[in-house]
PDB file of all heavy atoms in Angstrom:
ATOM      1  N   VAL G1417      71.467  31.795  98.188  1.00 72.00           N
ATOM      2  CA  VAL G1417      71.703  31.971  96.721  1.00 72.00           C
ATOM      3  C   VAL G1417      72.856  32.931  96.465  1.00 72.00           C
ATOM      4  O   VAL G1417      73.216  33.818  97.251  1.00 72.00           O
ATOM      5  CB  VAL G1417      70.456  32.495  96.059  1.00 72.00           C
ATOM      6  CG1 VAL G1417      69.266  31.533  96.143  1.00 72.00           C
ATOM      7  CG2 VAL G1417      70.105  33.841  96.609  1.00 72.00           C
ATOM      8  N   PRO G1418      73.558  32.762  95.319  1.00 68.00           N
ATOM      9  CA  PRO G1418      74.573  33.640  94.908  1.00 68.00           C
ATOM     10  C   PRO G1418      74.045  35.094  94.908  1.00 68.00           C
ATOM     11  O   PRO G1418      72.983  35.360  94.393  1.00 68.00           O
ATOM     12  CB  PRO G1418      75.022  33.179  93.496  1.00 68.00           C
ATOM     13  CG  PRO G1418      74.591  31.742  93.505  1.00 68.00           C
ATOM     14  CD  PRO G1418      73.404  31.608  94.383  1.00 68.00           C
ATOM     15  N   ASP G1419      74.877  36.024  95.427  1.00 72.00           N
ATOM     16  CA  ASP G1419      74.456  37.493  95.511  1.00 72.00           C
ATOM     17  C   ASP G1419      73.318  37.791  96.427  1.00 72.00           C
ATOM     18  O   ASP G1419      72.886  38.929  96.542  1.00 72.00           O
ATOM     19  CB  ASP G1419      74.099  37.962  94.137  1.00 72.00           C
ATOM     20  CG  ASP G1419      75.294  37.987  93.163  1.00 72.00           C
ATOM     21  OD1 ASP G1419      76.420  38.240  93.672  1.00 72.00           O
ATOM     22  OD2 ASP G1419      75.106  37.700  92.065  1.00 72.00           O
ATOM     23  N   GLY G1420      72.828  36.737  97.160  1.00 74.00           N
ATOM     24  CA  GLY G1420      71.877  36.966  98.244  1.00 74.00           C
ATOM     25  C   GLY G1420      70.694  37.817  97.863  1.00 74.00           C
ATOM     26  O   GLY G1420      69.982  37.499  96.925  1.00 74.00           O
ATOM     27  N   ILE G1421      70.512  38.910  98.594  1.00 82.00           N
ATOM     28  CA  ILE G1421      69.292  39.781  98.405  1.00 82.00           C
ATOM     29  C   ILE G1421      69.289  40.377  96.965  1.00 82.00           C
ATOM     30  O   ILE G1421      68.223  40.688  96.408  1.00 82.00           O
ATOM     31  CB  ILE G1421      69.263  40.821  99.490  1.00 82.00           C
ATOM     32  CG1 ILE G1421      67.920  41.595  99.411  1.00 82.00           C
ATOM     33  CG2 ILE G1421      70.440  41.769  99.421  1.00 82.00           C
ATOM     34  CD1 ILE G1421      66.660  40.747  99.547  1.00 82.00           C
ATOM     35  N   LEU G1422      70.449  40.571  96.306  1.00 81.00           N
ATOM     36  CA  LEU G1422      70.449  41.133  94.996  1.00 81.00           C
ATOM     37  C   LEU G1422      69.668  40.248  94.026  1.00 81.00           C
ATOM     38  O   LEU G1422      69.058  40.675  93.135  1.00 81.00           O
ATOM     39  CB  LEU G1422      71.930  41.275  94.485  1.00 81.00           C
ATOM     40  CG  LEU G1422      72.749  42.392  95.156  1.00 81.00           C
ATOM     41  CD1 LEU G1422      74.220  42.390  94.708  1.00 81.00           C
ATOM     42  CD2 LEU G1422      72.140  43.785  94.945  1.00 81.00           C
ATOM     43  N   SER G1423      69.815  38.936  94.269  1.00 77.00           N
ATOM     44  CA  SER G1423      69.140  38.006  93.391  1.00 77.00           C
ATOM     45  C   SER G1423      67.634  37.807  93.771  1.00 77.00           C
ATOM     46  O   SER G1423      66.823  37.670  92.858  1.00 77.00           O
ATOM     47  CB  SER G1423      69.775  36.606  93.523  1.00 77.00           C
ATOM     48  OG  SER G1423      71.170  36.616  93.127  1.00 77.00           O
ATOM     49  N   VAL G1424      67.313  37.899  95.012  1.00 79.00           N
ATOM     50  CA  VAL G1424      65.961  37.578  95.479  1.00 79.00           C
ATOM     51  C   VAL G1424      65.057  38.840  95.592  1.00 79.00           C
ATOM     52  O   VAL G1424      63.840  38.682  95.583  1.00 79.00           O
ATOM     53  CB  VAL G1424      65.982  36.836  96.816  1.00 79.00           C
ATOM     54  CG1 VAL G1424      64.655  36.416  97.304  1.00 79.00           C
ATOM     55  CG2 VAL G1424      66.887  35.655  96.708  1.00 79.00           C
ATOM     56  N   ALA G1425      65.678  40.051  95.603  1.00 85.00           N
ATOM     57  CA  ALA G1425      64.838  41.254  95.850  1.00 85.00           C
ATOM     58  C   ALA G1425      63.651  41.364  94.886  1.00 85.00           C
ATOM     59  O   ALA G1425      62.605  41.823  95.275  1.00 85.00           O
ATOM     60  CB  ALA G1425      65.759  42.436  95.687  1.00 85.00           C
ATOM     61  N   PRO G1426      63.772  41.046  93.551  1.00 84.00           N
ATOM     62  CA  PRO G1426      62.624  41.151  92.700  1.00 84.00           C
ATOM     63  C   PRO G1426      61.441  40.359  93.173  1.00 84.00           C
ATOM     64  O   PRO G1426      60.309  40.800  92.955  1.00 84.00           O
ATOM     65  CB  PRO G1426      63.121  40.696  91.271  1.00 84.00           C
ATOM     66  CG  PRO G1426      64.567  41.024  91.386  1.00 84.00           C
ATOM     67  CD  PRO G1426      64.957  40.741  92.814  1.00 84.00           C
ATOM     68  N   TYR G1427      61.584  39.158  93.666  1.00 80.00           N
ATOM     69  CA  TYR G1427      60.535  38.335  94.208  1.00 80.00           C
ATOM     70  C   TYR G1427      59.917  39.029  95.418  1.00 80.00           C
ATOM     71  O   TYR G1427      58.706  39.053  95.562  1.00 80.00           O
ATOM     72  CB  TYR G1427      60.918  36.970  94.519  1.00 80.00           C
ATOM     73  CG  TYR G1427      59.742  36.210  95.153  1.00 80.00           C
ATOM     74  CD1 TYR G1427      58.713  35.835  94.350  1.00 80.00           C
ATOM     75  CD2 TYR G1427      59.770  35.974  96.504  1.00 80.00           C
ATOM     76  CE1 TYR G1427      57.557  35.311  94.955  1.00 80.00           C
ATOM     77  CE2 TYR G1427      58.553  35.423  97.133  1.00 80.00           C
ATOM     78  CZ  TYR G1427      57.525  35.034  96.302  1.00 80.00           C
ATOM     79  OH  TYR G1427      56.424  34.503  96.835  1.00 80.00           O
ATOM     80  N   TYR G1428      60.776  39.479  96.364  1.00 84.00           N
ATOM     81  CA  TYR G1428      60.261  40.160  97.588  1.00 84.00           C
ATOM     82  C   TYR G1428      59.265  41.303  97.082  1.00 84.00           C
ATOM     83  O   TYR G1428      58.172  41.507  97.676  1.00 84.00           O
ATOM     84  CB  TYR G1428      61.375  40.801  98.407  1.00 84.00           C
ATOM     85  CG  TYR G1428      62.045  39.790  99.350  1.00 84.00           C
ATOM     86  CD1 TYR G1428      63.321  39.296  99.008  1.00 84.00           C
ATOM     87  CD2 TYR G1428      61.469  39.441 100.536  1.00 84.00           C
ATOM     88  CE1 TYR G1428      63.923  38.493  99.954  1.00 84.00           C
ATOM     89  CE2 TYR G1428      62.023  38.595 101.437  1.00 84.00           C
ATOM     90  CZ  TYR G1428      63.344  38.154 101.145  1.00 84.00           C
ATOM     91  OH  TYR G1428      64.008  37.288 101.955  1.00 84.00           O
TER      92      TYR G1428
END
Side-chain angles (χ1 to χ4, degrees):
V1417 297
D1419 295 324
I1421 189 59
L1422 290 174
S1423 297
V1424 183
Y1427 174 73
Y1428 278 105

